[in-house]
Amino acid sequence: MSKIENKKREILKYDRVGLENVMKRRFFVVPSFQIYNGIAGLYDFGPTGCALKNNIEQYWREHFILEENLLEISGTCITPEIVLKTSGHVDKFTDYAVKDIKNGQCFRADKLIKEWIEIEKKKKKISEERIKELDTLYIKVDNFDENEIDETIEKYKICSPDTGNELSKSYKFNLMFETQIGPTGGCRGFLRPETAQSHFINFKYLLDFNNNRIPFGSASIGLGFRNEIAPRSGLLRVREFTMAEIEYFVDPLKKEHNKFNLLKDLKLPLWSAKSQFNGESINTNITLGEAVEKKIIDNETLGYFLGKTYLFLIGIGIKKDGIRFRQHTPKEMAHYASDCWDAEIETSYGWVEVAGHADRTCYDLSRHSESTGIELVASRLLKETKVIKGIKIVLNKGIIFKNFNDKDKAKKLCEKLDKISEEDKEKLMVDFETNGKIEVDINGEIIILDKEKNEIKMERFEQNVHEEKYSPNVIEPSFGIGRIVYCVMEHCFKVRENDSRRTYFDFPPSIAPYKASILPLFENEKFLDYVEPIRKILVQNGISYKIDKVDSIGRRYARTDEIGIPFGITIDDITLKDNTVTLREIDTMKQIRVPINEIGTIIKNVYNRIEKWEDIIKKYPLFEFTRNGN
Amino acid sequence: MSKIENKKREILKYDRVGLENVMKRRFFVVPSFQIYNGIAGLYDFGPTGCALKNNIEQYWREHFILEENLLEISGTCITPEIVLKTSGHVDKFTDYAVKDIKNGQCFRADKLIKEWIEIEKKKKKISEERIKELDTLYIKVDNFDENEIDETIEKYKICSPDTGNELSKSYKFNLMFETQIGPTGGCRGFLRPETAQSHFINFKYLLDFNNNRIPFGSASIGLGFRNEIAPRSGLLRVREFTMAEIEYFVDPLKKEHNKFNLLKDLKLPLWSAKSQFNGESINTNITLGEAVEKKIIDNETLGYFLGKTYLFLIGIGIKKDGIRFRQHTPKEMAHYASDCWDAEIETSYGWVEVAGHADRTCYDLSRHSESTGIELVASRLLKETKVIKGIKIVLNKGIIFKNFNDKDKAKKLCEKLDKISEEDKEKLMVDFETNGKIEVDINGEIIILDKEKNEIKMERFEQNVHEEKYSPNVIEPSFGIGRIVYCVMEHCFKVRENDSRRTYFDFPPSIAPYKASILPLFENEKFLDYVEPIRKILVQNGISYKIDKVDSIGRRYARTDEIGIPFGITIDDITLKDNTVTLREIDTMKQIRVPINEIGTIIKNVYNRIEKWEDIIKKYPLFEFTRNGN
């Protein structure tokens, strides 16, 4: 890490106390159920946090769903076991836990070992060699299996951190919340760990809705759940969270993207698995086009979405130099993925993953297809018509059931022949052509079907085929909205020069929780009369607002700055004379005088990115604000 | 029920098959996990349904949150047991179930009895008397307790409907989904049955955010869960659903609403509990003002929100004469409510509750306050300053702990005196004033505290009090968004005259799933070239769209009508010459020719209710569409 990067981190760390103070005091985010002492990993969004989150979701919806013409769907959180068994989550969505053998307290094994290492390294008189050993362990522990964890705990005599008690052997803990659906106890369910499964389950409906054409993408904004063993790190590791996921279905032979050209010259900070392995730094000097050409990024579709994500993050206020795209190393890849690039944001906690871009191949569709027997495929036109040779078996079921007394046996016979492989068909065909009979083995008993008894016919056929079926691949950009909200707050948190107690957020206006404050100079009828007409203008323009009537105007500016309201509308003595108000912008703190009936358009144009504040300010008279409020 | 009402219901019933067909085929709503045979009571929203639902939520957000300046918050679904124990849900959020004693199948007891009655009444040779008896039973069964249910099942020998087996005794089944939070098994949790509890838990934050002023309202749009015993009726009885809830906090002495005047002349179809009891019909001829004055509706705030709900439902496409407001009878009221008015919508299933407007009094805040020991109150200024007399006990804890060897006893002593009642203080004061000592009973042992030993001081005081604390009351408008989505689909579902196979939705443009379709006349480069520029104009204006290139233009109109797209933009031969397209409106099927660069504004103005189609159509040349596509 360079010196500049080090310095930047220091600044971020320093700011966190102030930020957390504002977050709680101004009701952005608070621990849930606080009057009951809270539950770790659950958070409530207050009016400011909720609006910020809604606006980021709306930005995402416009940036991805509307612009990319994706099919938005909404599935349920409650999911029956069979679905998540098929998807692999029942078996593989786990972390390793260890228990304090006396008081039963649980720990996530990898975190426990890492924290032990951090404490160990701070001890005096530690040798260089030992530090090296611990550093190596620190990196390896993420990929440890049960045995390696147990061996490590035993080797280093790691104890339960609070009590010093011995620790249990490690065991796999499934991270899904379990529940029962209905009253009989017969239907086990889970809260979904991702929205993705709904997309796969509904693939046939989606394909049909898209006139059976591929590629297309579906998208969902909804809740995901993860029963963390011992969550900490505030909003970054929570048990219930909003996800925004895209499943983009492509033909595995055609992973080009028809809008790739629009983004091909974009330079993204890429950190490939290979670079990580070689100890190389992030490559910031390569265009998306080059990265795809050089196969650093596997294909255009994956590259296109990496580009879209980059633009999304910048659009909502993340600073450019605090973003990187890191490719997963083979060992950290999820069970369903063949490749994955995380978008990571630098925060006071270090680099934080906020979005994954996984190539899930045809893993999920194939698994669900196997599990249900329902084809989840698309078809592509063949360049040349193919001739397919095959054998057709025609069973005369009426006669078979009549001829066989054991109906169950007859049923099994028919089922077996329905599912028989082409290879076995060929063998049977030889018998059929030779003897007019075939022999079928049903649970060890040989049963004969006879052409002469009209039980069976077999024919060879040739067929012209114009298209072939295939299982689409899925490129999945998946966003953790809660984490993004937190990162935006860190990146937009500012302190006024010369007054460290005064903080504000320079959110892009489109995502600011409230767009405007309405501030009558004093709580007095003559000023208050203007509140309602101004409020109406804002409502008509869809502009969210906060009315603040209490305290001096200076304190109110400080208060509205603190929650990042970009525009303050002040009703003062001049308003009473000429129907103008002052409009104050948060970052510059400059004020202009504008007629009341123009405020709606001005504010809307800024947050819709039609006009900039720098240009607006030139069109109206500047207004000097003095401490006595005039 | 009048004859007209009867007839209307027939029509609705007839339409349901067609509607359900469209809902599934055009991916509005489908049963969840269908390829795994589905789970009763869970539904997924496809692109059309999801957009419709989003738009209704957005309409709600603007109509309530933005216009009423409510504080939107977002809490978690996962809720620890203690919270729902306090709120009464662990004990009282139940239905009665009975089991088939042989195969274990569960039934909701009241529904089972009602269905039995319906079948019984259809039997031939049933006497008038018997019908009367069954009708009475049908009405009563909703309010039956365990014993009454068991007696009924025994008396009428009601059996398990599918098997004819005997039924078990009825038992209470809690309707909350249960889960474990974290790995230790020590923290039982539930999925919330309502969003309301988050508002109460966060009351202090909300009050502070509103500068400690009352009245104000908070609002949430989020998921609720209800583990129905045996859900049917499609979207009307589901296990996971989106709710939109407002908790409006008022001073119990001041339930006026400062905007009531705006709605006081509105006439709502009201059906009071008294009218229901007296067999009177709905009163459609009374204004909100009169209803509040006559105490039919208890107060202005409740009345104001009934009016807002009425306007909301009409705004999203519910037909006026299919709405009524029904007051709960005392027996059907939820455990937390003192009064409740349901907004009900008439559908092919009968009248369906879509929103409740409950007066929850101070029930929840008081309960949580008792349970946590944390004050959840507001304060009001007194008209006249009050003088309060009291006694102050000052314990010198340092000396007490020094003087007492048994520290535990000293601690208990201090705790007891901290919590002592005013009445007991007075008794102690008499001793103190007489002897300079007081006697305190700690677990049967008399302990003496002595003024001379500096252990205690007691003083009488007088205090001027300007404000008093109180527990705010809560008026709660609570909406079931899923049910509303279904009702909107029923009310907006239309069949073209002269062609019963062609159906469409006349959704208000603001809630239509897609606002516009882009239709190149043929799938041919020269037409396709216009798709992207048109798409861009729509995206810039925030207009959702669907591109449809497949099949004849007539079939495409039919297809886009079927999902209620209000505007069709067709690129035809004339487009190539003069850059105009045709714009077709769904309900009138009329088309006008407009320049491409004007389509964004036209469509946006209609769905923002700035301009009407009737007026727009006069400004542009009409275009005649003929079957061959020109």
mmCIF file of all heavy atoms in Angstrom, chain A residues 67-99:
data_model
loop_
_atom_site.group_PDB
_atom_site.id
_atom_site.type_symbol
_atom_site.label_atom_id
_atom_site.label_comp_id
_atom_site.label_asym_id
_atom_site.label_seq_id
_atom_site.Cartn_x
_atom_site.Cartn_y
_atom_site.Cartn_z
ATOM 1 N N GLU A 67 -32.982 1.254 -18.131
ATOM 2 C CA GLU A 67 -32.038 1.449 -19.244
ATOM 3 C C GLU A 67 -31.704 0.151 -19.964
ATOM 4 O O GLU A 67 -31.487 0.142 -21.169
ATOM 5 C CB GLU A 67 -30.740 2.092 -18.737
ATOM 6 C CG GLU A 67 -30.843 3.600 -18.602
ATOM 7 C CD GLU A 67 -29.507 4.221 -18.211
ATOM 8 O OE1 GLU A 67 -28.455 3.631 -18.511
ATOM 9 O OE2 GLU A 67 -29.542 5.299 -17.583
ATOM 10 N N GLU A 68 -31.635 -0.936 -19.232
ATOM 11 C CA GLU A 68 -31.254 -2.211 -19.864
ATOM 12 C C GLU A 68 -32.470 -3.056 -20.223
ATOM 13 O O GLU A 68 -32.330 -4.191 -20.671
ATOM 14 C CB GLU A 68 -30.317 -2.999 -18.946
ATOM 15 C CG GLU A 68 -29.043 -2.264 -18.574
ATOM 16 C CD GLU A 68 -28.272 -1.786 -19.795
ATOM 17 O OE1 GLU A 68 -28.152 -2.561 -20.761
ATOM 18 O OE2 GLU A 68 -27.822 -0.615 -19.779
ATOM 19 N N ASN A 69 -33.663 -2.504 -19.959
ATOM 20 C CA ASN A 69 -34.900 -3.198 -20.325
ATOM 21 C C ASN A 69 -34.962 -4.592 -19.698
ATOM 22 O O ASN A 69 -35.266 -5.581 -20.360
ATOM 23 C CB ASN A 69 -34.995 -3.284 -21.850
ATOM 24 C CG ASN A 69 -36.430 -3.425 -22.326
ATOM 25 O OD1 ASN A 69 -37.374 -3.271 -21.543
ATOM 26 N ND2 ASN A 69 -36.601 -3.738 -23.592
ATOM 27 N N LEU A 70 -34.666 -4.664 -18.404
ATOM 28 C CA LEU A 70 -34.690 -5.944 -17.692
ATOM 29 C C LEU A 70 -36.112 -6.255 -17.221
ATOM 30 O O LEU A 70 -36.940 -5.361 -17.088
ATOM 31 C CB LEU A 70 -33.749 -5.897 -16.484
ATOM 32 C CG LEU A 70 -32.308 -5.470 -16.766
ATOM 33 C CD1 LEU A 70 -31.514 -5.387 -15.469
ATOM 34 C CD2 LEU A 70 -31.637 -6.446 -17.730
ATOM 35 N N LEU A 71 -36.371 -7.514 -16.963
ATOM 36 C CA LEU A 71 -37.686 -7.931 -16.486
ATOM 37 C C LEU A 71 -37.648 -8.007 -14.966
ATOM 38 O O LEU A 71 -37.040 -8.917 -14.409
ATOM 39 C CB LEU A 71 -38.049 -9.293 -17.078
ATOM 40 C CG LEU A 71 -37.937 -9.404 -18.605
ATOM 41 C CD1 LEU A 71 -38.355 -10.802 -19.062
ATOM 42 C CD2 LEU A 71 -38.778 -8.346 -19.291
ATOM 43 N N GLU A 72 -38.293 -7.058 -14.315
ATOM 44 C CA GLU A 72 -38.260 -7.068 -12.842
ATOM 45 C C GLU A 72 -39.294 -8.056 -12.307
ATOM 46 O O GLU A 72 -40.444 -8.056 -12.723
ATOM 47 C CB GLU A 72 -38.542 -5.670 -12.276
ATOM 48 C CG GLU A 72 -38.387 -5.662 -10.748
ATOM 49 C CD GLU A 72 -38.543 -4.283 -10.115
ATOM 50 O OE1 GLU A 72 -38.764 -3.306 -10.853
ATOM 51 O OE2 GLU A 72 -38.455 -4.212 -8.881
ATOM 52 N N ILE A 73 -38.862 -8.896 -11.408
ATOM 53 C CA ILE A 73 -39.787 -9.818 -10.761
ATOM 54 C C ILE A 73 -39.611 -9.734 -9.248
ATOM 55 O O ILE A 73 -38.643 -9.166 -8.760
ATOM 56 C CB ILE A 73 -39.596 -11.290 -11.229
ATOM 57 C CG1 ILE A 73 -38.214 -11.813 -10.825
ATOM 58 C CG2 ILE A 73 -39.762 -11.395 -12.727
ATOM 59 C CD1 ILE A 73 -38.060 -13.302 -11.042
ATOM 60 N N SER A 74 -40.561 -10.304 -8.538
ATOM 61 C CA SER A 74 -40.484 -10.266 -7.086
ATOM 62 C C SER A 74 -40.978 -11.605 -6.539
ATOM 63 O O SER A 74 -42.138 -11.955 -6.682
ATOM 64 C CB SER A 74 -41.347 -9.100 -6.596
ATOM 65 O OG SER A 74 -41.607 -9.213 -5.234
ATOM 66 N N GLY A 75 -40.050 -12.358 -5.951
ATOM 67 C CA GLY A 75 -40.391 -13.667 -5.398
ATOM 68 C C GLY A 75 -40.528 -13.600 -3.886
ATOM 69 O O GLY A 75 -40.347 -12.550 -3.278
ATOM 70 N N THR A 76 -40.840 -14.719 -3.280
ATOM 71 C CA THR A 76 -41.051 -14.734 -1.831
ATOM 72 C C THR A 76 -39.741 -15.010 -1.087
ATOM 73 O O THR A 76 -38.827 -15.632 -1.625
ATOM 74 C CB THR A 76 -42.058 -15.817 -1.433
ATOM 75 O OG1 THR A 76 -41.568 -17.095 -1.850
ATOM 76 C CG2 THR A 76 -43.404 -15.553 -2.073
ATOM 77 N N CYS A 77 -39.686 -14.557 0.152
ATOM 78 C CA CYS A 77 -38.545 -14.850 1.024
ATOM 79 C C CYS A 77 -38.630 -16.284 1.530
ATOM 80 O O CYS A 77 -37.633 -16.997 1.602
ATOM 81 C CB CYS A 77 -38.536 -13.901 2.213
ATOM 82 S SG CYS A 77 -38.354 -12.190 1.749
ATOM 83 N N ILE A 78 -39.836 -16.694 1.904
ATOM 84 C CA ILE A 78 -40.020 -18.046 2.415
ATOM 85 C C ILE A 78 -39.857 -19.031 1.257
ATOM 86 O O ILE A 78 -40.506 -18.882 0.228
ATOM 87 C CB ILE A 78 -41.409 -18.192 3.058
ATOM 88 C CG1 ILE A 78 -41.489 -17.287 4.276
ATOM 89 C CG2 ILE A 78 -41.697 -19.641 3.444
ATOM 90 C CD1 ILE A 78 -42.871 -17.188 4.868
ATOM 91 N N THR A 79 -38.987 -19.992 1.444
ATOM 92 C CA THR A 79 -38.618 -20.903 0.363
ATOM 93 C C THR A 79 -38.624 -22.331 0.901
ATOM 94 O O THR A 79 -38.019 -22.586 1.940
ATOM 95 C CB THR A 79 -37.197 -20.560 -0.143
ATOM 96 O OG1 THR A 79 -37.141 -19.165 -0.432
ATOM 97 C CG2 THR A 79 -36.826 -21.357 -1.376
ATOM 98 N N PRO A 80 -39.293 -23.253 0.215
ATOM 99 C CA PRO A 80 -39.310 -24.625 0.716
ATOM 100 C C PRO A 80 -37.936 -25.292 0.579
ATOM 101 O O PRO A 80 -37.155 -24.950 -0.309
ATOM 102 C CB PRO A 80 -40.359 -25.309 -0.168
ATOM 103 C CG PRO A 80 -40.449 -24.470 -1.383
ATOM 104 C CD PRO A 80 -40.094 -23.080 -0.998
ATOM 105 N N GLU A 81 -37.679 -26.227 1.445
ATOM 106 C CA GLU A 81 -36.368 -26.864 1.530
ATOM 107 C C GLU A 81 -35.888 -27.438 0.198
ATOM 108 O O GLU A 81 -34.730 -27.254 -0.181
ATOM 109 C CB GLU A 81 -36.429 -27.983 2.570
ATOM 110 C CG GLU A 81 -35.097 -28.674 2.776
ATOM 111 C CD GLU A 81 -35.169 -29.715 3.882
ATOM 112 O OE1 GLU A 81 -36.276 -30.195 4.196
ATOM 113 O OE2 GLU A 81 -34.110 -30.052 4.428
ATOM 114 N N ILE A 82 -36.775 -28.093 -0.529
ATOM 115 C CA ILE A 82 -36.391 -28.793 -1.762
ATOM 116 C C ILE A 82 -35.661 -27.864 -2.737
ATOM 117 O O ILE A 82 -34.679 -28.255 -3.383
ATOM 118 C CB ILE A 82 -37.635 -29.448 -2.428
ATOM 119 C CG1 ILE A 82 -37.291 -30.103 -3.764
ATOM 120 C CG2 ILE A 82 -38.776 -28.483 -2.636
ATOM 121 C CD1 ILE A 82 -36.609 -31.419 -3.646
ATOM 122 N N VAL A 83 -36.126 -26.604 -2.813
ATOM 123 C CA VAL A 83 -35.530 -25.646 -3.757
ATOM 124 C C VAL A 83 -34.077 -25.351 -3.371
ATOM 125 O O VAL A 83 -33.180 -25.333 -4.222
ATOM 126 C CB VAL A 83 -36.352 -24.336 -3.772
ATOM 127 C CG1 VAL A 83 -35.643 -23.255 -4.591
ATOM 128 C CG2 VAL A 83 -37.744 -24.599 -4.333
ATOM 129 N N LEU A 84 -33.846 -25.166 -2.084
ATOM 130 C CA LEU A 84 -32.505 -24.796 -1.623
ATOM 131 C C LEU A 84 -31.609 -26.007 -1.449
ATOM 132 O O LEU A 84 -30.386 -25.889 -1.391
ATOM 133 C CB LEU A 84 -32.621 -23.972 -0.335
ATOM 134 C CG LEU A 84 -33.314 -22.627 -0.592
ATOM 135 C CD1 LEU A 84 -33.872 -22.043 0.683
ATOM 136 C CD2 LEU A 84 -32.353 -21.650 -1.264
ATOM 137 N N LYS A 85 -32.230 -27.167 -1.357
ATOM 138 C CA LYS A 85 -31.463 -28.415 -1.411
ATOM 139 C C LYS A 85 -30.890 -28.558 -2.831
ATOM 140 O O LYS A 85 -29.699 -28.801 -3.016
ATOM 141 C CB LYS A 85 -32.406 -29.591 -1.072
ATOM 142 C CG LYS A 85 -31.750 -30.947 -1.045
ATOM 143 C CD LYS A 85 -30.971 -31.170 0.237
ATOM 144 C CE LYS A 85 -30.127 -32.433 0.124
ATOM 145 N NZ LYS A 85 -29.136 -32.518 1.205
ATOM 146 N N THR A 86 -31.760 -28.337 -3.815
ATOM 147 C CA THR A 86 -31.336 -28.440 -5.210
ATOM 148 C C THR A 86 -30.264 -27.414 -5.556
ATOM 149 O O THR A 86 -29.294 -27.714 -6.239
ATOM 150 C CB THR A 86 -32.552 -28.226 -6.144
ATOM 151 O OG1 THR A 86 -33.553 -29.176 -5.804
ATOM 152 C CG2 THR A 86 -32.165 -28.391 -7.600
ATOM 153 N N SER A 87 -30.448 -26.197 -5.065
ATOM 154 C CA SER A 87 -29.504 -25.133 -5.423
ATOM 155 C C SER A 87 -28.162 -25.302 -4.722
ATOM 156 O O SER A 87 -27.209 -24.592 -5.024
ATOM 157 C CB SER A 87 -30.086 -23.773 -5.052
ATOM 158 O OG SER A 87 -30.145 -23.637 -3.639
ATOM 159 N N GLY A 88 -28.102 -26.213 -3.750
ATOM 160 C CA GLY A 88 -26.847 -26.461 -3.053
ATOM 161 C C GLY A 88 -26.709 -25.719 -1.737
ATOM 162 O O GLY A 88 -25.751 -25.924 -1.001
ATOM 163 N N HIS A 89 -27.671 -24.838 -1.425
ATOM 164 C CA HIS A 89 -27.526 -24.015 -0.214
ATOM 165 C C HIS A 89 -27.695 -24.802 1.080
ATOM 166 O O HIS A 89 -27.095 -24.466 2.087
ATOM 167 C CB HIS A 89 -28.509 -22.848 -0.248
ATOM 168 C CG HIS A 89 -28.130 -21.792 -1.239
ATOM 169 N ND1 HIS A 89 -28.527 -21.836 -2.555
ATOM 170 C CD2 HIS A 89 -27.356 -20.692 -1.118
ATOM 171 C CE1 HIS A 89 -28.025 -20.793 -3.194
ATOM 172 N NE2 HIS A 89 -27.312 -20.079 -2.347
ATOM 173 N N VAL A 90 -28.543 -25.817 1.076
ATOM 174 C CA VAL A 90 -28.741 -26.593 2.304
ATOM 175 C C VAL A 90 -27.420 -27.261 2.704
ATOM 176 O O VAL A 90 -27.075 -27.328 3.878
ATOM 177 C CB VAL A 90 -29.870 -27.630 2.133
ATOM 178 C CG1 VAL A 90 -29.934 -28.581 3.321
ATOM 179 C CG2 VAL A 90 -31.217 -26.930 1.949
ATOM 180 N N ASP A 91 -26.662 -27.688 1.717
ATOM 181 C CA ASP A 91 -25.399 -28.361 2.034
ATOM 182 C C ASP A 91 -24.201 -27.412 2.125
ATOM 183 O O ASP A 91 -23.272 -27.659 2.885
ATOM 184 C CB ASP A 91 -25.087 -29.434 0.977
ATOM 185 C CG ASP A 91 -26.166 -30.511 0.964
ATOM 186 O OD1 ASP A 91 -26.606 -30.895 2.071
ATOM 187 O OD2 ASP A 91 -26.574 -30.939 -0.130
ATOM 188 N N LYS A 92 -24.232 -26.350 1.331
ATOM 189 C CA LYS A 92 -22.982 -25.590 1.184
ATOM 190 C C LYS A 92 -22.992 -24.153 1.682
ATOM 191 O O LYS A 92 -21.952 -23.501 1.711
ATOM 192 C CB LYS A 92 -22.555 -25.600 -0.290
ATOM 193 C CG LYS A 92 -22.135 -26.992 -0.728
ATOM 194 C CD LYS A 92 -21.774 -27.032 -2.192
ATOM 195 C CE LYS A 92 -21.484 -28.458 -2.631
ATOM 196 N NZ LYS A 92 -21.538 -28.615 -4.090
ATOM 197 N N PHE A 93 -24.154 -23.638 2.067
ATOM 198 C CA PHE A 93 -24.212 -22.251 2.519
ATOM 199 C C PHE A 93 -23.932 -22.226 4.028
ATOM 200 O O PHE A 93 -24.807 -22.016 4.854
ATOM 201 C CB PHE A 93 -25.587 -21.669 2.210
ATOM 202 C CG PHE A 93 -25.691 -20.175 2.378
ATOM 203 C CD1 PHE A 93 -24.986 -19.316 1.560
ATOM 204 C CD2 PHE A 93 -26.519 -19.630 3.345
ATOM 205 C CE1 PHE A 93 -25.087 -17.949 1.703
ATOM 206 C CE2 PHE A 93 -26.635 -18.254 3.495
ATOM 207 C CZ PHE A 93 -25.922 -17.418 2.672
ATOM 208 N N THR A 94 -22.649 -22.475 4.372
ATOM 209 C CA THR A 94 -22.309 -22.686 5.782
ATOM 210 C C THR A 94 -21.054 -21.904 6.161
ATOM 211 O O THR A 94 -20.266 -21.523 5.304
ATOM 212 C CB THR A 94 -22.005 -24.182 6.033
ATOM 213 O OG1 THR A 94 -21.022 -24.602 5.077
ATOM 214 C CG2 THR A 94 -23.245 -25.030 5.882
ATOM 215 N N ASP A 95 -20.921 -21.677 7.449
ATOM 216 C CA ASP A 95 -19.665 -21.192 8.021
ATOM 217 C C ASP A 95 -19.253 -22.187 9.101
ATOM 218 O O ASP A 95 -20.086 -22.952 9.592
ATOM 219 C CB ASP A 95 -19.857 -19.811 8.667
ATOM 220 C CG ASP A 95 -19.694 -18.672 7.663
ATOM 221 O OD1 ASP A 95 -19.176 -18.919 6.562
ATOM 222 O OD2 ASP A 95 -20.106 -17.552 7.988
ATOM 223 N N TYR A 96 -17.981 -22.177 9.489
ATOM 224 C CA TYR A 96 -17.553 -23.030 10.599
ATOM 225 C C TYR A 96 -17.712 -22.289 11.915
ATOM 226 O O TYR A 96 -17.330 -21.124 12.024
ATOM 227 C CB TYR A 96 -16.097 -23.465 10.422
ATOM 228 C CG TYR A 96 -15.924 -24.430 9.285
ATOM 229 C CD1 TYR A 96 -15.275 -24.044 8.114
ATOM 230 C CD2 TYR A 96 -16.434 -25.726 9.379
ATOM 231 C CE1 TYR A 96 -15.137 -24.928 7.048
ATOM 232 C CE2 TYR A 96 -16.297 -26.619 8.323
ATOM 233 C CZ TYR A 96 -15.648 -26.209 7.159
ATOM 234 O OH TYR A 96 -15.526 -27.077 6.118
ATOM 235 N N ALA A 97 -18.302 -22.964 12.884
ATOM 236 C CA ALA A 97 -18.477 -22.381 14.208
ATOM 237 C C ALA A 97 -17.691 -23.196 15.218
ATOM 238 O O ALA A 97 -17.422 -24.384 15.009
ATOM 239 C CB ALA A 97 -19.951 -22.373 14.591
ATOM 240 N N VAL A 98 -17.284 -22.547 16.308
ATOM 241 C CA VAL A 98 -16.760 -23.262 17.476
ATOM 242 C C VAL A 98 -17.464 -22.700 18.695
ATOM 243 O O VAL A 98 -17.910 -21.554 18.696
ATOM 244 C CB VAL A 98 -15.229 -23.118 17.652
ATOM 245 C CG1 VAL A 98 -14.481 -23.877 16.581
ATOM 246 C CG2 VAL A 98 -14.826 -21.647 17.656
ATOM 247 N N LYS A 99 -17.576 -23.557 19.737
ATOM 248 C CA LYS A 99 -18.275 -23.144 20.947
ATOM 249 C C LYS A 99 -17.326 -23.109 22.132
ATOM 250 O O LYS A 99 -16.424 -23.944 22.237
ATOM 251 C CB LYS A 99 -19.373 -24.166 21.275
ATOM 252 C CG LYS A 99 -20.716 -23.838 20.719
ATOM 253 C CD LYS A 99 -21.780 -24.780 21.267
ATOM 254 C CE LYS A 99 -23.056 -24.605 20.458
ATOM 255 N NZ LYS A 99 -24.116 -25.486 20.857
#
